[in-house]
Amino acid sequence: MGRESIPDDSCGRGDRELRPPRLVFDPISRRALLWILGPMVLLLLVHSFAFATLHVVGSSMADTLEPGDLVLVSKLAVTRSRLLGAVDPARSYRPTRGDLVAFRLPQKPSLLLVKRVVGLPGDHIVIEQGALHVHDASGAEWPDPALGGHARARPGRIVERLDVVVPEGALFLVGDNRNAGASSDSRDWGALPADAIAGRVVLRLLPWARAGRL
């Protein structure tokens, strides 16, 4: 009589605060999670910043690359130059004439394409009766990169005379297959911004019979 009633605590916790259950990983579970996530993260980093594979579709690079070829794209030089270029713009990526590069066309960023670099910033490009002429800023003439050391390029297509100077920060790219309508490249959509380059095509992985450096 006269005492205040105390609410019954059937769980025996008295007036202790209720807490949500904690999710506990035992050491084996943590190791298993690391074994699963670790390789996935590593693979993602490698694919994004170091190397990637690409299946060739279409014949724009024939006979150098054929439809169905599996090639290895090295992103190392592009990644390195972008890191350095953030500090010093002069260290931005600049390929060599003749390089095979993978890139995303600004008009169609969902597509990863492969073409050959034939013109660098400041180069004077003249295409006349299907023949490609390249002069650098000093006036020196360079051989068609698809023919000089890469003699499997097909005959040139005859187009109206094209006479352009590659602007700073851009590249002139052309497919090795110069047959009419075989390649959509800088002859059609102009010079490509250099920062659209994803990497350099360095190896053909498949088919085995033609595997090797490019």
Side-chain angles (χ1 to χ4, degrees), residues 64 96-99 116-118 132 134 142-154 176 178 214:
T64 305
T96 302
R97 292 181 189 84
D99 281 356
R116 191 179 297 281
V117 177
V118 299
L132 174 70
V134 182
W142 292 77
D144 183 342
L147 299 175
H150 303 277
R152 291 189 293 174
R154 294 181 180 179
D176 282 1
R178 307 287 175 79
L214 292 166

Side-chain angles (χ1 to χ4, degrees), residues 54 57 102-114 196 198:
L54 176 66
V57 177
F103 63 95
R104 295 190 184 278
L105 195 64
Q107 298 91 321
K108 295 182 179 179
S110 60
L111 296 178
L112 190 62
L113 307 177
V114 175

Side-chain angles (χ1 to χ4, degrees), residues 173-197:
L173 310 179
V174 176
D176 282 1
N177 186 348
R178 307 287 175 79
N179 288 335
S183 174
S184 174
D185 48 46
S186 289
R187 293 171 292 180
D188 305 303
W189 33 258
L192 179 81
D195 59 9
I197 301 295

